[in-house]
Amino acid sequence: MRPNGVLNLRELLSVSPAAYQALWSFCCGVDLLTTVEAGERPTDELLPYLVTDGRAVNLEMRADFVWVRVLDVCAALAGRTYATPGRLVIEVVDPLGFASGRYALEGGPDGARCGRTTESAALTLPVDALGSIYLGGVAARTLELAARAEEHAAGAISIADAMFRSSRAPWCNTWF
């Protein structure tokens, strides 16, 4: 009789990369298993890079379970840190009017300031695109290529990409 067991993994979280690797190693090494099913994993899941053949890992669904709609642009942009120091004037387009306006953002790894301005915009984004780059899950360049961001000053997209970059993709592991 050949093994044909399935391990249904409901949640896997760790406190360190070493613990993460050890947990996956344990799950993939349980006797008599041929399949490990793990739903609701992060979009930048490391498992394909932990196994010998990453093609053996099949992604059946892609979801981050996160959605953000910025209402208070100044508070949101000033309330986070940024990967690199930079300054951007961003125009936000909001059909409902809550977040519409032009904002001067100065930020870096130690914090940020943001306020309304009358300066010319270096970058224009619809409010939903702002939510995407705010969390660091989508590059401003990707949004520009999809016609969801417009650069008005040379290099603004590159500055936004450098500032808003995140070491990991945003992910919520619970249904909220």
Side-chain angles (χ1 to χ4, degrees):
M1 178 179 202
R2 294 184 145 198
N4 65 353
V6 175
L7 181 117
N8 191 331
L9 183 63
R10 296 197 185 262
E11 191 168 13
L12 187 140
L13 300 169
S14 69
V15 296
S16 71
Y20 192 80
Q21 292 172 17
L23 287 168
W24 270 119
S25 180
F26 172 79
C27 291
C28 294
V30 174
D31 288 345
L32 304 177
L33 289 183
T34 57
T35 304
V36 176
E37 293 179 355
E40 298 160 15
R41 303 301 309 147
T43 58
D44 60 350
E45 175 61 67
L46 300 176
L47 182 60
Y49 307 102
L50 297 176
V51 298
T52 306
D53 181 5
R55 291 174 186 92
V57 177
N58 296 314
L59 176 67
E60 293 182 7
M61 182 182 120
R62 182 176 187 264
D64 56 22
F65 300 105
V66 178
W67 183 83
V68 171
R69 194 216 197 275
V70 177
L71 294 173
D72 185 338
V73 175
C74 291
L77 295 181
R80 61 159 287 179
T81 60
Y82 296 85
T84 60
R87 183 177 192 283
L88 275 173
V89 174
I90 302 170
E91 182 161 0
V92 178
V93 178
D94 180 357
L96 299 178
F98 297 114
S100 291
R102 239 181 252 149
Y103 303 89
L105 167 66
E106 286 187 60
D110 296 326
R113 293 188 325 236
C114 183
R116 287 190 175 270
T117 187
T118 58
E119 293 177 60
S120 296
L123 183 65
T124 298
L125 299 166
V127 69
D128 61 317
L130 176 64
S132 295
I133 69 166
Y134 173 76
L135 294 176
V138 177
R141 178 76 59 207
T142 300
L143 294 171
E144 179 192 38
L145 293 171
R148 304 285 296 137
E150 185 178 355
E151 182 180 64
H152 305 292
I157 292 287
S158 295
I159 293 168
D161 279 344
M163 287 180 71
F164 285 92
R165 182 181 60 241
S166 175
S167 62
R168 294 295 309 266
W171 173 58
C172 178
N173 67 323
T174 62
W175 292 84
F176 61 92

